[in-house]
Amino acid sequence: MRPLEQAEIFLRSLSDPLPAEGIEALFLFGQTVDNQDSVFETAEHHYRRYPGLQVLMLAGGPRIGYPGFDAWQKTLTTRGIADGDIHPLPPADSPLLHTRIDALALVRCLEMKPYRRVAVTAAPFHQVRAFMTAISVAIDSACSTQLYSCPGRPQPMLEPASHSQGALSHRRRDLIAKELERIDTYQQKGDLAATRAILAYLEKRDTHGQASAT
């Protein structure tokens, strides 16, 4: 990844303006207990901002660090999100849980439901890879839904937190380096689209959005 392209995709992921028409759904990438409040607060904020917003997340019970749909649904309802607006997405038939499985579940949902504009949310240190993964899967699937980046609320960077199915426990600032390593590794393996392809996706998305608004 070239430095300027890397900087652009990071800035775009962390400061992506949501469309003027609003978003129809918000997908929450699975997080450990240490990081889940970050996505909960963002979901609560945007649910109030966009009446009728649908909140999407992975179905199933606790899985390798993720507390599970029921636990998250219960917490989100205490934050004012209606049960009927929270939807479980079936995961891949795998005991594993990782960012790509989340993204695959989302894109499979988008292939069946007519959402036009959907934002994805993860803890800020995880947001760039989560957004890149969602776009990569969308490109592979020729998904027509416009995906936007909506980072979770920032949390203390010097605070220890578990991540990566609970396998890592570091200060959040140290987890950033782990995320950079994963992005590089997964792009080399082909699990993540090339940065240029992701930037081209965003260019096409924004150009289409401007054309639709005129």
Side-chain angles (χ1 to χ4, degrees):
M1 191 187 305
R2 294 181 178 180
L4 286 178
E5 291 177 344
Q6 183 182 57
E8 181 175 355
I9 195 63
F10 272 62
L11 289 171
R12 295 286 295 273
S13 298
L14 298 174
S15 59
D16 194 21
L18 297 180
E21 306 94 325
I23 54 174
E24 299 158 308
L26 180 70
F27 178 73
L28 308 183
F29 274 86
Q31 306 292 312
T32 62
V33 171
D34 290 341
N35 302 309
Q36 65 184 10
D37 282 347
S38 173
V39 298
F40 290 163
E41 292 193 17
T42 295
E44 179 183 356
H45 171 76
H46 287 290
Y47 188 75
R48 293 176 178 176
R49 182 180 180 189
Y50 299 112
L53 181 72
Q54 304 299 290
V55 179
L56 315 175
M57 55 199 189
L58 208 64
R63 300 177 74 190
I64 318 178
Y66 169 55
F69 177 82
D70 289 346
W72 274 27
Q73 182 185 39
K74 182 177 180 180
T75 300
L76 289 171
T77 57
T78 66
R79 290 174 173 266
I81 300 175
D83 273 341
D85 293 331
I86 304 172
H87 303 283
L89 306 187
D93 185 17
S94 168
L96 300 176
L97 176 60
H98 50 68
T99 302
R100 188 170 177 84
I101 284 178
D102 262 323
L104 287 166
L106 170 62
V107 171
R108 281 200 303 268
C109 166
L110 299 180
E111 290 172 344
M112 296 182 290
K113 293 183 179 291
Y115 294 125
R116 294 166 295 174
R117 298 175 300 276
V118 173
V120 302
T121 297
F125 67 84
H126 181 210
Q127 182 69 22
V128 177
R129 181 164 64 91
F131 189 41
M132 291 177 72
T133 305
I135 290 176
S136 297
V137 175
I139 291 171
D140 290 343
S141 304
C143 176
S144 61
T145 302
Q146 295 178 2
L147 297 178
Y148 292 84
S149 180
C150 188
R153 176 189 60 82
Q155 294 175 290
M157 296 304 291
L158 299 184
E159 183 178 84
S162 64
H163 180 52
S164 189
Q165 302 91 52
L168 295 176
S169 184
H170 299 282
R171 297 180 303 174
R172 289 191 181 91
R173 73 174 296 255
D174 299 322
L175 290 171
I176 294 172
K178 301 295 184 183
E179 288 294 298
L180 290 170
E181 291 172 5
R182 281 176 166 78
I183 289 171
D184 184 58
T185 297
Y186 297 153
Q187 283 191 316
Q188 290 186 34
K189 288 174 60 178
D191 290 340
L192 279 180
T195 305
R196 286 186 176 181
I198 292 174
L199 292 174
Y201 172 94
L202 295 176
E203 181 75 15
K204 181 179 179 180
R205 182 203 71 182
D206 292 343
T207 300
H208 180 269
Q210 289 178 351
S212 298
T214 58

